């Protein structure tokens, strides 16, 4: 059951690491550099939205197995609402701040830990809900999205370096 907690922690680290904030890479008046910065930010926004959608999909599956009258159902509903708000945000820094706020708001919430009084399910039932095939598929898709992001950022980084070298040679 706890094997999905690392996914949430990795997601948090990705949000912090993904932001292209090195001003030395993007402080040029060069239109090529500005376009590369725009591409890097767009890729980061796409990754964050993928993260949020993956979590919405995951927790929607969990929520579907819960009684709507339980505390966990309500907690998950609020979490999903906050994630949807983060997806709607277009500006990267604001999106990052929303994610930080969501993480702070829910870091002490046991969304993945069963308390029968809060879920209405036994430990075995909740474990089955948390580890179902659909949930594993969602996690797999997210890992693929992360790999795609790092590939795209590697290509953009190579273009930044190549453009920087070309500018120095001029």
């Amino acid at each position: 059951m706890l094997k999905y907690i690392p996914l949430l922690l990795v997601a948090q680290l990705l949000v912090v690491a993904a932001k292209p904030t090195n001003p030395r890479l993007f402080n040029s008046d060069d239109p090529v550099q500005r376009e590369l910065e725009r591409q890097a930010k767009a890729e980061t926004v796409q990754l964050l939205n993928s993260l949020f959608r993956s979590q919405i999909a995951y927790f929607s599956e969990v929520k579907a197995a819960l009684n709507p009258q339980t505390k966990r159902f309500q907690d998950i509903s609020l979490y999903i609402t906050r994630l949807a708000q983060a997806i709607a945000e277009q500006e990267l820094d604001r999106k990052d701040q929303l994610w930080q706020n969501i993480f702070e708001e829910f870091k002490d919430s046991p969304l993945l830990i069963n308390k029968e009084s809060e879920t209405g399910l036994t430990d075995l039932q909740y474990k089955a809900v948390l580890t179902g095939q659909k949930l594993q598929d969602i996690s797999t898709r997210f890992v693929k999205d992360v790999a795609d992001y790092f590939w795209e950022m590697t290509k953009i980084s190579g273009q930044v370096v190549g453009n920087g070298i070309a500018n120095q040679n001029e």
Side-chain angles (χ1 to χ4, degrees), residues 65-128:
L66 299 173
N67 179 326
Q69 303 305 313
T70 63
K71 180 181 182 324
R72 189 60 44 77
F73 183 96
Q74 294 165 6
D75 290 345
I76 290 173
S77 294
L78 180 59
Y79 187 66
I80 289 170
T81 299
R82 297 287 193 270
L83 291 170
Q85 291 168 343
I87 289 171
E89 178 58 49
Q90 297 301 310
E91 201 270 316
L92 180 59
D93 288 332
R94 180 71 183 125
K95 188 179 286 287
D96 180 52
Q97 185 58 52
L98 284 171
W99 174 244
Q100 296 295 327
N101 294 347
I102 292 167
F103 186 76
E104 284 299 314
E105 184 176 358
F106 290 96
K107 74 178 181 181
D108 296 326
S109 178
L111 296 177
L112 297 173
I113 298 173
N114 187 43
K115 290 185 179 178
E116 197 168 332
S117 63
E118 294 180 3
T119 65
L121 301 173
T122 67
D123 286 344
L124 190 57
Q125 289 170 322
Y126 201 59
K127 180 180 179 183

Side-chain angles (χ1 to χ4, degrees), residues 30-52:
D30 181 3
V32 173
Q33 291 295 95
R34 284 195 309 269
E35 174 57 20
L36 292 171
E37 177 182 12
R38 187 201 63 71
Q39 288 175 16
K41 285 182 177 181
E43 287 294 329
T44 301
V45 166
Q46 185 175 333
L47 175 68
L48 293 176
N49 286 341
S50 173
L51 162 70
F52 301 150

Side-chain angles (χ1 to χ4, degrees), residues 1-4 57-67 70 72-73 76 111-114 119-139:
M1 172 169 20
L2 297 177
K3 74 180 190 177
Y4 291 98
Y58 181 88
F59 282 105
S60 292
E61 287 291 323
V62 172
K63 187 175 104 169
L66 299 173
N67 179 326
T70 63
R72 189 60 44 77
F73 183 96
I76 290 173
L111 296 177
L112 297 173
I113 298 173
N114 187 43
T119 65
L121 301 173
T122 67
D123 286 344
L124 190 57
Q125 289 170 322
Y126 201 59
K127 180 180 179 183
V129 167
L130 292 177
T131 59
Q133 184 59 48
K134 281 186 179 180
L135 301 176
Q136 291 176 24
D137 293 344
I138 290 166
S139 298

